[in-house]
Amino acid sequence: MATTATYRVVFDATWSASTHPTNFPGGAHFSPLIGAVHNDSVTFWALEGIATPGIESMAETGGTAALAAEVQAEIPGGALGVINGSGSGSPGSATIQAVTVREDFPLVTLVTMIAPSPDWFAGVTGLSLRDEDGGWVEELEVVLYPLDAGTDSGSAYTSANDDTRPKEPIRGLQGERPFSDEPIGTFTFTRTDG
């Protein structure tokens, strides 16, 4: 069995005025994709966890430098490398041509800011690209819903900066104003080397 696998990652942004009609903002977009290939010795974010400075910066401003530095700090023990991708209009899409995972680093964390917003984002954490037999999945689609980083108390897309102190746990926003029950996009991981 192959010890590595390479994937094309397509982010299909479906967040729009028709799927999320409440106060849908002008200029809706997603920030550049940022994440890591890693193993289970490290977690960069988790539901009910507290956002790191890197997750906070990404979710509030779309900045990627702080989270990239957090990933770099885990190389070589916990992380294999940083994943970078472009942002996207919404609706729209962005593609990362090659993300390589290894048998000792089979997990992907990948996030993007919902913009404009106080601290809302979408993404996956610790997503394994292994199948139940220990091989590599050929294709995996993950449906994305909005998340709240718990670092800013604004309640609308264009709320003024309102730092949350202390930080609150990261949580889902599906079905909470201004979001509907609809997803905001998908990540599709397609193996390209198999």
Side-chain angles (χ1 to χ4, degrees):
M1 187 182 66
T3 58
T4 67
T6 301
Y7 290 85
R8 181 175 64 248
V9 185
V10 176
F11 172 46
D12 185 26
T14 58
W15 174 53
S16 70
S18 60
T19 61
H20 295 268
T22 304
N23 303 324
F24 190 76
H29 66 283
F30 287 91
S31 70
L33 295 161
I34 179 73
V37 172
H38 62 100
N39 60 33
D40 63 9
S41 73
V42 62
T43 301
F44 295 100
W45 70 272
L47 279 173
E48 302 306 320
I50 299 298
T52 64
I55 291 293
E56 178 174 9
S57 174
M58 173 279 307
E60 290 188 10
T61 70
T64 60
L67 184 54
E70 289 172 4
V71 174
Q72 294 279 2
E74 296 295 338
I75 298 171
L80 183 62
V82 176
I83 302 171
N84 284 294
S86 63
S88 169
S90 196
S93 70
T95 300
I96 300 173
Q97 288 300 338
V99 172
T100 299
V101 289
R102 281 192 346 211
E103 58 184 356
D104 51 342
F105 294 98
L107 308 180
V108 170
T109 291
L110 191 61
V111 291
T112 177
M113 176 195 181
I114 299 169
S117 78
D119 63 339
W120 302 336
F121 72 105
V124 294
T125 179
L127 178 72
S128 177
L129 293 176
R130 290 277 202 199
D131 64 25
E132 58 276 358
D133 300 320
W136 298 108
V137 298
E138 292 302 315
E139 185 166 284
L140 179 62
E141 182 182 89
V142 182
V143 177
L144 302 171
Y145 291 95
L147 300 163
D148 186 317
T151 59
D152 187 295
S153 296
S155 60
Y157 291 114
T158 54
S159 292
N161 215 8
D162 182 12
D163 219 26
T164 303
R165 294 192 184 279
K167 291 179 185 175
E168 294 174 354
I170 295 171
R171 65 187 184 88
L173 291 172
Q174 182 182 0
E176 290 190 29
R177 285 179 65 90
F179 296 103
S180 69
D181 280 328
E182 293 294 315
I184 58 170
T186 56
F187 282 151
T188 303
F189 295 84
T190 305
R191 190 170 175 195
T192 56
D193 69 334

